[in-house]
């Protein structure tokens, strides 16, 4: 039996119900054995930094997946010296799990437009299955927009790998804004994560 592994990277600042729900839906559709959540590192040179520290983001991820099977959390990107590229993560995972495993990389529909600009994108598309998921608040993925930026074959593969996840309109930005304004965010987050945020007084002021 092939070992199907889902990789799902993000800033998870904080992890929200949208992340968990689409990942679980994708797992079921792919028939994967596990989902590895990979928080991205803070880069001293880039804008749009995560607001919460690495340790807080990891702890929130641990709390959010506590009640579910399948999830693991990897610190490969947090531990890597800059620059950190997805292709390096895929190669590290390939080395760890072996040539026979099938790697599935999940991305939300909001990421599709810039995908052709990712570092070594052609290698990345050959070394794993990139699966685009629906994202509430965004148009459905439009693969025709990739014409001229990726080969027709690669575009067709992306189209075939698309996963029809439910449209969930939640973002970490919306949650940070709600917490800053002291409005109710309980619909958007796991209660354990919300409780941790409150106890640690995260996101209650602009960084
Ligand atoms: P921010 O608002 O801070 O940009 P975010 O909510 O987009 O954060 P990220 O951690 O940046 O969350 O996202 C990680 C991955 O999860 C990305 O591929 C993103 O497209 C996807 N994603 C995030 N939220 C959703 C959602 N509600 N539905 C589907 N995919 C999502």
């Amino acid at each position: 039996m092939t070992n199907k592994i889902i990789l799902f990277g993000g800033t998870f600042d904080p992890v929200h119900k949208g992340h968990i729900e689409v990942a679980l839906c994708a797992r079921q559709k792919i028939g994967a054995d596990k989902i590895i959540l990979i928080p991205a590192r803070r880069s001293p040179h880039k804008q749009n930094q995560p607001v919460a520290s690495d340790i807080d983001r990891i702890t929130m991820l641990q709390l959010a997946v506590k009640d579910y099977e399948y999830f693991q959390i990897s610190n490969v990107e947090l531990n890597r010296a800059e620059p950190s590229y997805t292709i390096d993560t895929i190669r590290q995972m390939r080395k760890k799990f072996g040539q026979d495993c099938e790697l599935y990389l999940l991305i939300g529909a909001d990421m599709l437009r810039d995908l052709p600009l990712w570092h070594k994108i052609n290698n990345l598309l050959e070394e794993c299955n990139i699966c685009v998921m629906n994202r509430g608040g965004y148009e459905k993925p439009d693969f025709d927009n990739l014409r001229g930026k990726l080969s027709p074959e690669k575009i067709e593969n992306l189209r075939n790998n698309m996963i029809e996840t439910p449209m969930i309109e939640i973002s970490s930005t919306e949650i940070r804004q709600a917490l800053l304004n002291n409005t109710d965010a309980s619909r958007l987050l796991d209660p354990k994560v919300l409780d941790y945020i409150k106890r640690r007084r995260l996101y209650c002021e602009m960084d």
Side-chain angles (χ1 to χ4, degrees), residues 8-9 11-12 16 19 108 110 134-135 168 170-173 176:
F8 191 23
T11 37
F12 302 116
H16 54 66
H19 292 127
D110 55 306
N134 288 321
R135 179 159 189 179
I168 303 170
I170 302 180
S171 72
S172 300
T173 303
R176 291 194 301 273

